[in-house]
């Protein structure tokens, strides 16, 4: 695979950049990556009482492919249930953006970030 | 497809491919005493001899590449102070846990006044490692001056000449260094082989122990076909150097003249002809790389970026560039297959990418 125009689009016009209140009970925060490597992704979800992701925000410190991967998944997970969002695979992300092999790591980071955010939300709501 | 990333790896030269294919027909281990082994050994001996002659060297140890040659050079003398320049390749910067780093000037040249003070500040002499041609900017270091300073203070000198072979006159003897690294695939030979050229009196502690090959400095069965391919490519680049350099110098100038908006880093210094480090104001190097890739042109970011990491070029930072400028720099590097048409297409693409960004900002 090679770089696609989609990567450039998300890199130049990232969707859903920003933060949600991490203290809010309805918000789950996922922070993945290693600061020492210069590769950090923060992804937050706001979940409705019905268990649907109403809003998603991200902040990523990393390369263009990492930014594009996180931007793309925030678009994808909005309106999805936690279960549906948890099923998003890095391969789907990589395929959609046609990430070059050396950048597959970025899509894995995005998958990890979604799962970490869901985990955080579930820890706040043990019964959910 | 236009390939302008020769400094990452040079396309295999046909002469190297031919030599390798022929060498693959021989059976045997070059360390075996029987007729089969002797034949393979003779191929290696011939390659070694011609390489040594071509670069006016003395002893030559084959390695798996430039990185291993650098590692061997920097660790093989045992514990001693180590000084490296701030613009070295990472295989030099990271070869030792704690090297002392000597700064370069804004022009990318080692600060010789500082170097002398620095070397003199050590209680015991050690090893200085200074590259000959920088891989990101093409800047040529004042190696002979540095060698004079080092000698005066009893220091030994290693140079990474991976990007110099075939691009500037290269004589181990004239440079006066003790050790010199060469890389095969940076001159159109196969990947997986390189060499450390040494003065006769230097015996290094091996990194890889075993059968005692390569004068006891590097064990492991020698890869005869790779070595033969390396020598064939090296001899060809040495014989074509002047003609090739003149041709590439014109292409280099053509790009500079055609792109007045581009910043050319290292321009004030003596520079190799095959590489250009270019800044596109306001456009990140990553966006440039992706945009060139979409247009079918392979270039490289000034910075190393593997997996999801972003890392700014230590070379440009070392030259005192601002973070903003470092982030907008790319490297294009040319070689034996590069045509004038490739360069025209590169110029066209550069302008298109730059203009489309200007338009976006204006709208």
């Amino acid at each position: 695979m090679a770089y696609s125009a989609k990567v450039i689009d998300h890199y130049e016009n990232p969707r859903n950049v920003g933060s949600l209140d991490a203290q809010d009970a309805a918000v789950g925060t996922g922070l993945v990556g290693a600061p020492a490597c210069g590769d950090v992704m923060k992804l937050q979800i706001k979940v409705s009482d019905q268990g649907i992701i109403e809003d998603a925000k991200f902040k990523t410190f990393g390369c263009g492919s990492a930014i594009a991967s996180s931007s793309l998944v925030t678009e994808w997970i909005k309106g999805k249930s936690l279960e549906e969002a948890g099923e998003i695979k890095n391969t789907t992300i990589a395929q959609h953006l046609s990430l070059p092999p050396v950048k597959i790591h970025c899509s894995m980071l995005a998958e990890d970030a979604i799962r970490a955010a869901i985990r955080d939300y579930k820890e706040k709501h043990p019964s959910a | 497809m236009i390939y302008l990333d020769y400094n990452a790896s040079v396309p295999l030269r046909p002469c190297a491919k031919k030599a390798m294919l022929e060498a693959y027909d021989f059976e045997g281990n070059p360390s075996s005493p029987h007729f089969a082994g002797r034949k393979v050994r003779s191929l290696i001996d011939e390659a070694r001899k011609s390489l040594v002659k071509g670069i006016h060297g003395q002893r030559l140890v084959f390695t798996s590449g430039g990185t291993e040659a650098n590692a061997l050079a920097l660790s093989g003398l045992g514990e001693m102070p180590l000084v490296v320049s701030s613009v070295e390749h990472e295989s030099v910067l990271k070869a030792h846990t704690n090297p002392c780093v000597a700064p370069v000037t804004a022009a990318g040249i080692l600060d010789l006044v500082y170097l002398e003070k620095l070397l003199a500040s050590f209680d015991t002499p050690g090893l200085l490692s200074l590259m000959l041609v920088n891989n990101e900017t093409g800047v040529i270091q004042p190696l002979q001056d540095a060698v004079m300073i080092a000698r005066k203070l009893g220091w030994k000198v290693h140079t990474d000449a991976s990007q110099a072979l075939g691009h500037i006159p290269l004589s181990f003897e004239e440079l006066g260094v003790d050790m010199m690294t060469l890389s095969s695939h940076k001159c159109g030979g196969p990947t997986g082989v390189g060499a450390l050229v040494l003065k006769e009196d230097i015996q290094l502690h091996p990194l890889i122990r075993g059968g005692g090959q390569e004068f006891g400095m590097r064990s492991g069965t020698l890869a005869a076909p790779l070595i033969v391919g390396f020598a064939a490519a090296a001899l060809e680049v040495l014989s074509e150097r002047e003609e090739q350099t003149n041709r590439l110098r014109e292409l280099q100038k053509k790009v500079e003249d055609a792109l007045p908006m581009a910043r050319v880093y290292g321009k004030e210094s003596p520079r190799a002809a095959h590489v250009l480090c270019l800044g596109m104001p306001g456009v990140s190097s990553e966006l440039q790389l992706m945009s060139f890739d979409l247009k079918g042109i392979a270039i490289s970011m000034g910075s190393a970026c593997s997996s999801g990491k972003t890392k700014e070029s230590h070379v440009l930072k070392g030259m005192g560039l601002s973070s903003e400028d470092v982030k907008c720099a790319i490297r294009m590097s040319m070689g034996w297959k590069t045509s004038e048409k490739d360069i025209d297409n590169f110029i066209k693409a550069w302008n298109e990418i730059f203009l489309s960004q200007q338009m976006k900002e204006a709208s």
Side-chain angles (χ1 to χ4, degrees):
Chain A
M1 279 194 277
Y3 282 113
S4 70
K6 283 183 197 155
V7 180
I8 297 190
D9 182 35
H10 276 282
Y11 175 50
E12 286 200 281
N13 313 295
R15 323 320 185 232
N16 307 311
V17 177
S19 292
L20 299 169
D21 178 9
Q23 304 306 317
D24 186 341
V27 171
T29 301
L31 186 67
V32 294
C37 306
D39 191 359
V40 185
M41 199 176 273
K42 186 179 86 175
L43 192 141
Q44 293 181 299
I45 51 173
K46 189 171 185 181
V47 185
S48 73
D49 295 341
Q50 288 75 39
I52 302 295
I53 298 172
E54 289 179 321
D55 199 6
K57 296 276 183 205
F58 83 92
K59 274 189 178 174
T60 291
F61 179 69
C63 70
S65 301
I67 292 168
S69 298
S70 34
S71 167
L72 177 72
V73 296
T74 55
E75 277 196 324
W76 278 0
I77 58 177
K78 274 201 224 178
K80 281 197 163 65
S81 68
L82 290 179
E83 198 177 29
E84 287 166 338
E87 282 169 2
I88 293 175
K89 292 273 178 299
N90 87 285
T91 44
T92 322
I93 302 165
Q95 214 154 27
H96 184 84
L97 293 171
S98 350
L99 293 180
V102 294
K103 296 290 182 183
I104 296 300
H105 167 81
C106 302
S107 63
M108 291 165 67
L109 211 56
E111 181 190 311
D112 289 349
I114 303 174
R115 299 213 169 147
I118 294 173
R119 205 179 314 125
D120 182 55
Y121 175 82
K122 285 190 172 166
E123 275 168 16
K124 284 182 181 174
H125 302 264
S127 58
Chain B
M1 294 296 129
I2 298 171
Y3 185 74
L4 293 174
D5 201 10
Y6 277 68
N7 281 18
S9 194
V10 173
L12 190 66
R13 284 176 173 262
C15 70
K17 191 174 174 181
K18 183 168 170 279
M20 279 194 289
L21 288 175
E22 286 168 10
Y24 274 116
D25 284 335
F26 293 98
E27 51 207 6
N29 186 319
S31 297
S32 301
H34 50 58
F35 60 91
R38 288 199 306 271
K39 179 62 204 169
V40 182
R41 161 68 60 185
S42 73
L43 295 178
I44 293 170
D45 287 346
E46 189 54 40
R48 193 192 311 272
K49 223 166 85 188
S50 57
L51 264 172
V52 164
K53 192 171 166 224
I55 45 115
H56 312 128
Q58 295 182 10
R59 217 176 207 190
L60 187 146
V61 171
F62 287 112
T63 65
S64 64
T67 294
E68 191 197 322
N70 285 339
L72 177 61
L74 270 55
S75 69
L77 290 171
E79 277 302 306
M80 59 164 63
L82 175 67
V83 170
V84 304
S85 89
S86 60
V87 296
E88 293 302 312
H89 188 266
E90 286 193 313
S91 59
V92 165
L93 289 173
K94 292 181 180 165
H96 206 270
T97 43
N98 202 15
C100 180
V101 179
V104 297
T105 65
I109 300 273
L110 183 70
D111 186 336
L112 291 169
V113 178
Y114 184 92
L115 178 75
E116 183 154 10
K117 278 190 208 149
L118 181 65
L119 297 190
S121 73
F122 285 87
D123 296 331
T124 54
L127 174 68
L128 167 70
S129 182
L130 176 63
M131 73 195 330
L132 193 46
V133 172
N134 184 265
N135 51 317
E136 288 185 31
T137 59
V139 167
I140 302 166
Q141 294 295 339
L143 185 56
Q144 274 169 300
D145 296 336
V147 168
M148 268 169 59
I149 292 168
R151 284 271 170 274
K152 211 166 59 183
L153 297 162
W155 283 58
K156 292 211 177 330
V157 184
H158 162 256
T159 187
D160 179 355
S162 297
Q163 294 289 356
L165 181 61
H167 297 297
I168 63 169
L170 186 62
S171 164
F172 180 80
E173 200 178 280
E174 260 178 56
L175 287 169
V177 293
D178 300 279
M179 299 184 273
M180 178 166 89
T181 291
L182 298 176
S183 166
S184 160
H185 78 122
K186 304 291 190 194
C187 75
T191 45
V193 62
L196 185 65
V197 186
L198 298 161
K199 279 199 171 152
E200 290 288 359
D201 60 349
I202 292 191
Q203 185 66 33
L204 299 170
H205 303 294
L207 283 171
I208 302 170
R209 294 169 185 84
Q213 288 91 338
E214 297 302 88
F215 318 101
M217 290 187 258
R218 204 276 187 185
S219 288
T221 302
L222 289 167
L226 299 185
I227 287 169
V228 164
F230 175 21
L235 293 187
E236 190 169 88
V237 298
L238 286 167
S239 69
E240 289 177 358
R241 186 191 57 77
E242 211 166 334
E243 184 194 336
Q244 194 68 253
T245 307
N246 291 341
R247 193 177 76 83
L248 297 180
R249 183 71 74 193
E250 274 174 35
L251 296 179
Q252 186 187 45
K253 191 171 177 308
K254 184 168 188 178
V255 174
E256 289 177 10
D257 291 348
L259 302 175
M261 289 304 292
R263 300 194 178 113
V264 182
Y265 298 114
K267 202 179 177 180
E268 311 75 27
S269 309
R271 216 168 16 133
H274 67 293
V275 50
L276 266 167
C277 185
L278 294 172
M280 189 187 284
V283 187
S284 77
S285 45
E286 195 160 12
L287 182 59
Q288 292 181 59
L289 187 142
M290 290 192 268
S291 305
F292 276 114
D293 185 80
L294 282 173
K295 289 171 187 292
I297 300 175
I299 51 111
S300 139
M301 307 216 312
S303 56
C305 178
S306 59
S307 68
K309 299 163 192 171
T310 50
K311 195 165 159 278
E312 290 178 359
S313 155
H314 66 276
V315 173
L316 298 179
K317 272 186 133 173
M319 288 163 70
L321 263 70
S322 71
S323 234
E324 275 318 295
D325 287 341
V326 174
K327 282 191 183 118
C328 297
I330 59 143
R331 172 186 79 185
M332 70 86 96
S333 43
M334 314 172 276
W336 65 276
K337 269 178 147 174
T338 311
S339 68
E340 185 156 9
K341 197 167 153 242
D342 293 340
I343 294 308
D344 290 339
N345 281 321
F346 170 78
I347 291 167
K348 188 165 156 271
W350 197 96
N351 277 320
E352 281 168 7
I353 295 165
F354 185 53
L355 279 177
S356 76
Q357 285 302 307
Q358 302 288 102
M359 303 273 276
K360 271 185 201 155
E361 271 165 39
S363 64

